[in-house]
Structure formats: structure tokens, C-alpha cells
Amino acid sequence: MPIYEFRCKNCKKVFEVLFRSRDENLKIFCPGCRSEKTEKIFSVFGSKMEKGMSSSDVPPCAATCKQFS
Ligand SMILES: [Zn+2]
């Protein structure tokens, strides 16, 4: 199961969401402020590209992304 990291555009909180098989289209709520204004940052387990993306589309910023939050 992939884990995606999201950042809340409202309060800048970064949080991880564990997706089951077909949960791609679920609305992601910020656990801090309950805002829907979240953006996906990167996939921890990005090797499984189900949407036709190549691995190069995902920035290798596992550590550095959090510095912008
Ligand atoms: Zn928030």
C-alpha cells in the first residue's frame, strides 16, 4: 500500500496518508485544521506508478521537501 505525503496549504502541516487500493480520489483532509486544501508532495513507495507517471516525475526530495513546509 502506498503512502503519500501531503502538505496542507492552509496551515502548512505535512502529514502522511496511507492509501488502500483504490482510494486515489478520496478527499484528503488536513488532520490539523480539517482543510481540504492539501497537495501531494511525493510518494514514499513511488516504484508502483499506477497513473502512467515515470519515476522522474516525482522529485527525490524525501528529506528536503519538509524544509519548505
Ligand atoms: Zn491544515
Side-chain angles (χ1 to χ4, degrees):
M1 289 185 287
I3 297 175
Y4 293 108
E5 191 154 335
F6 285 80
R7 178 169 51 215
C8 176
K9 294 180 180 180
N10 188 44
C11 70
K12 311 303 184 188
K13 180 179 178 65
V14 175
F15 56 98
E16 292 177 346
V17 178
L18 175 65
F19 281 82
R20 283 159 293 191
S21 57
R22 302 211 177 219
D23 287 353
E24 277 284 339
N25 295 320
L26 281 180
K27 284 186 176 177
I28 303 303
F29 290 87
C30 170
C33 68
R34 314 298 284 177
S35 172
E36 292 182 34
K37 294 180 180 178
T38 57
E39 58 182 349
K40 187 186 294 185
I41 302 175
F42 77 104
S43 170
V44 175
F45 300 109
S47 59
K48 188 176 181 181
M49 294 296 167
E50 297 177 339
K51 296 170 73 175
M53 292 171 56
S54 68
S55 59
S56 60
D57 292 330
V58 181
C61 57
T64 55
C65 268
K66 293 185 177 179
Q67 296 176 2
F68 298 111
S69 61

